[in-house]
Amino acid sequence: MSGGRALAEMLRINGAGPIFGMAGFQLLPYYEGVRRLGMEHHLVNDERVGAFAADAYARLTGRPGICDGTLGPGTTNLVTALVESLNAGVPVIALTGNTHRGHSWKNMTQEARQVEILRPAVKELIRVEAVERIPELVRRAFSVATSGRPGPVVLDIPEDVAHAEHTFAAGEFFADAATARVPARRPRPDASEVERAAALLARSRRPLILAGGGVHLSEAHDALLHLAEAAGIPVAHTLSGKGAIPCTHDLSAGLFGRYSRYANELIESSDCLLVVGCKLGEIATKRYTLPRPGTPLIHLDIVAEEIGRWAPTRVGLWGDARAGLSDLATALESATPTDDRSAYRDEVRERRSAWEAEARARYESDEVPINMGRLVGELNEAMPEDGILLADGGFASHWAGLLYDTKRAGRGFVADRGFASIGYGLPGALGTALAVRTDDGSAPPVVSITGDSGLNMTIGDLETARRAGTAFTLVVVNNAASGYIKALQHAVYGEGSYQSASLIETNYAELARNFGCHGHRVEHPDDLAPALKQAMATHDAPTVVDVVVTRDPGQMLPGVDNRTLQVRPGDRPV
């Protein structure tokens, strides 16, 4: 068979789901293999969309998402989305066509130094130099993508390797079941370090758990909830960690970092922090001002070098989140707590009640144009327990991360915070809808929030979503601006000081109908609930709900962005 056919065979054997990409001559034998094997492949209109869709599919299923791109621009278009997957720890396998090796560096059409470009954007780049090694190297790609902290892998295939014919032994075509999904393997933290961590937690009066996206990657939700409930420890989360425990749970302290309900105050007063699957990056730490110096820190992470990267760590637990939390819960059973922490838990409940009273005005706002808080409040009411909300990069993720409530543990909320690139909203919804689809029509509703800037980047793939037979709700936060940029310019330089931040007024509902999808334009808050209900009940095509929100840059963010606190009027931002 051809090398391309062997690639397709190995993807099929490894249980590949829908594949997203755009063909070129180099990968034609692979496309022919996909056709002959009856595999599911979706032509996209931009390769970045395909990689984003593969990323979302992987987050929801735990199985590597698959995408492809041809030589040169097809391959370089993948870079932004692959960095998202790399930074977020999402398993993706990207197939890239490359030049015929007999003619490389003779100015072949679309030739580029794509291997050098792609290598730092992925966990590993595997160059396929011999057709007979394809089965082995595809297995290697799955193993790397799903082991340790998951991540994207590129299989770079020269034209002559893809087109070459080879007689394979049947026994070469097999898959390693252990690497079919994440986490492929579960290393446990050192037992003595677990005991140290348990003793530290038992002595603390105000412990707090900070949960990141690693909780989802490890499927550690039950283990986290068991430990939190058994020890009575509240849980705060990052944008990527939302859903680590249900937001509606009594022990949920909500989002922490740049925007916070009341978790930041709990972090400030905590005497022990347990960080689980969280890199403690800029957003989560409010530009490295949290936690306060001297707070005892226990850090559980699958990547050893994340432990103590910048925050002094008292106890480092190197291992899988679920395994580590289970071991820690067992160790705590025999540890004697300092007290029952009842006063602390009462304080957490009081803070929660006070925040809910303060937030009610946003959730119930009657402002016209529509307040973002009211939009998220309506989503809280409309979304069932098993519903999945995606949030594009930029302020859509911050508003939803702060105000949206997941009702059960798990991936009920997805935000592309690995790279925070806008443009994820539409392709993320496409990949998610394909991930959760069912034969009987009982799939949970998929709703994605994107900005008008984000949708402008990827709107051509509404055609892809319609062609793929998906049905999801795409909520467009329409403020006729690149909202985050305009809001920051307003905060730093003052009213009227805007440069390259405004868009023309566009009716995205009308555009959606032109693509053969459904569209609703909402200009009054009382029309939100019926529009969302109708959109979520539509199953024959995607629906765009175009929501006209405030044009006031001073009201575009959930609160003052912490970066603006470092600038004085007249200063340049830092």
Side-chain angles (χ1 to χ4, degrees):
M1 65 178 72
S2 70
R5 172 64 182 267
L7 279 171
E9 290 277 5
M10 284 302 297
L11 291 179
R12 181 187 64 81
I13 290 168
N14 278 276
I19 306 169
F20 308 91
M22 188 184 298
F25 178 74
Q26 292 75 23
L27 291 180
L28 283 186
Y30 151 72
Y31 270 69
E32 175 65 5
V34 166
R35 185 189 70 82
R36 285 179 172 270
L37 292 171
M39 299 172 70
E40 181 180 358
H41 189 288
H42 297 284
L43 169 66
V44 294
N45 293 310
D46 186 286
E47 290 85 355
R48 180 178 62 157
V49 165
F52 274 149
D55 174 281
Y57 177 86
R59 294 187 199 224
L60 269 296
T61 64
R63 301 196 300 274
I66 313 294
C67 61
D68 60 63
T70 191
L71 168 69
T75 290
T76 58
N77 278 348
L78 296 171
V79 172
T80 296
L82 290 176
V83 175
E84 167 62 39
S85 301
L86 178 67
N87 291 356
V90 178
V92 169
I93 295 174
L95 310 179
T96 58
N98 210 329
T99 54
H100 189 298
R101 289 173 300 172
H103 301 295
S104 294
W105 310 121
K106 290 159 61 176
N107 292 321
M108 292 193 72
T109 303
Q110 298 187 313
E111 186 172 25
R113 304 191 74 88
Q114 65 185 48
V115 168
E116 291 92 330
I117 292 168
L118 289 171
R119 198 179 300 278
V122 294
K123 188 177 178 183
E124 185 167 301
L125 186 144
I126 301 171
R127 169 85 166 174
V128 183
E129 296 284 2
V131 63
E132 61 268 22
R133 295 190 66 191
I134 285 174
E136 166 207 346
L137 294 179
V138 172
R139 283 191 296 274
R140 169 72 181 173
F142 274 82
S143 177
V144 173
T146 59
S147 300
R149 178 194 282 167
V153 175
V154 163
L155 279 167
D156 190 68
I157 304 110
E159 174 192 313
D160 52 307
V161 173
H163 286 258
E165 298 282 332
H166 180 73
T167 301
F168 294 89
E172 296 179 64
F173 287 86
F174 65 91
D176 181 353
T179 62
R181 55 173 292 118
V182 296
R185 296 173 177 88
R186 294 186 184 274
R188 309 193 87 88
D190 182 85
S192 63
E193 294 299 289
V194 171
E195 293 293 338
R196 286 185 60 213
L200 189 57
L201 280 172
R203 290 196 304 268
S204 65
R205 288 182 168 84
R206 302 178 63 83
L208 183 66
I209 296 171
L210 305 181
V215 174
H216 294 302
L217 294 168
S218 175
E219 298 182 337
H221 315 100
D222 291 344
L224 174 60
L225 190 57
H226 171 71
L227 186 149
E229 290 179 337
I233 304 176
V235 179
H237 60 77
T238 63
L239 285 163
S240 299
K242 181 180 279 288
I245 70 171
C247 293
T248 51
H249 195 283
D250 284 344
L251 288 172
S252 174
L255 184 69
F256 71 93
R258 177 167 292 170
Y259 303 111
S260 163
R261 295 184 175 186
Y262 48 91
N264 286 1
E265 289 78 8
L266 293 176
I267 293 172
E268 291 280 4
S269 62
S270 175
D271 59 357
C272 184
L273 294 170
L274 171 58
V275 180
V276 183
C278 172
K279 293 182 287 188
L280 292 177
E282 178 198 357
I283 301 293
T285 62
K286 202 173 180 182
R287 188 158 275 197
Y288 314 106
T289 60
L290 295 172
R292 60 179 173 79
T295 304
L297 197 68
I298 302 165
H299 195 165
L300 169 58
D301 204 280
I302 191 67
V303 181
E305 53 266 34
E306 291 295 351
I307 299 171
R309 180 190 282 267
W310 71 270
T313 302
R314 186 76 59 88
V315 182
L317 302 176
W318 177 24
D320 172 72
R322 191 172 84 181
L325 288 168
S326 297
D327 291 352
L328 190 53
T330 300
L332 277 170
E333 291 174 1
S334 57
T336 304
T338 301
D339 59 30
D340 64 3
R341 302 183 183 130
S342 58
Y344 177 48
R345 289 194 292 273
D346 289 342
E347 178 193 332
V348 172
R349 282 192 289 270
E350 290 168 5
R351 286 184 181 275
R352 182 188 187 99
S353 297
W355 182 85
E356 288 173 346
E358 179 184 337
R360 189 171 299 118
R362 292 186 179 190
Y363 284 132
E364 300 175 357
S365 170
D366 289 328
E367 294 173 24
V368 178
I370 295 167
N371 186 294
M372 274 293 295
R374 175 65 180 271
L375 170 59
V376 181
E378 295 293 350
L379 284 169
N380 278 338
E381 293 295 321
M383 291 287 277
E385 184 179 271
D386 63 348
I388 300 164
L389 179 69
L390 293 93
D392 208 332
F395 74 80
S397 62
H398 289 293
W399 275 101
L402 178 63
L403 297 177
Y404 182 70
D405 286 329
T406 58
K407 301 173 180 68
R408 68 176 184 181
R411 285 273 198 196
F413 178 81
V414 176
D416 63 320
R417 298 307 304 178
F419 208 30
S421 169
I422 62 173
Y424 188 88
L426 171 55
L430 168 62
T432 299
L434 291 173
V436 303
R437 62 187 167 178
T438 59
D439 292 335
D440 61 3
S442 62
V446 173
V447 178
S448 182
I449 306 179
T450 187
D452 37 10
S453 288
L455 183 56
N456 286 347
M457 291 183 175
T458 58
I459 194 168
D461 279 280
L462 264 179
E463 185 271 338
T464 305
R466 181 189 172 208
R467 178 167 27 90
T470 57
F472 54 79
T473 300
L474 186 65
V475 177
V476 183
V477 179
N478 188 338
N479 56 15
S482 180
Y484 216 122
I485 299 303
K486 197 166 189 175
L488 288 176
Q489 289 176 345
H490 179 88
V492 174
Y493 300 112
E495 185 174 356
S497 303
Y498 313 125
Q499 175 61 49
S500 304
S502 298
L503 303 172
I504 62 169
E505 291 282 351
T506 302
N507 187 323
Y508 291 95
E510 184 176 334
L511 283 176
R513 291 190 288 270
N514 289 337
F515 275 100
C517 301
H518 304 284
H520 306 288
R521 187 169 172 90
V522 180
E523 299 181 359
H524 193 279
D526 290 344
D527 297 328
L528 277 170
L532 290 171
K533 181 179 180 180
Q534 184 175 349
M536 291 164 64
T538 301
H539 302 296
D540 63 334
T543 300
V544 170
V545 179
D546 184 22
V547 181
V548 179
V549 300
T550 182
R551 268 63 176 156
D552 180 359
Q555 301 297 319
M556 288 181 179
L557 299 182
V560 176
D561 187 292
N562 65 287
R563 288 174 294 190
T564 67
L565 301 180
Q566 302 184 34
V567 231
R568 296 183 302 274
D571 285 349
R572 295 179 61 83
V574 294

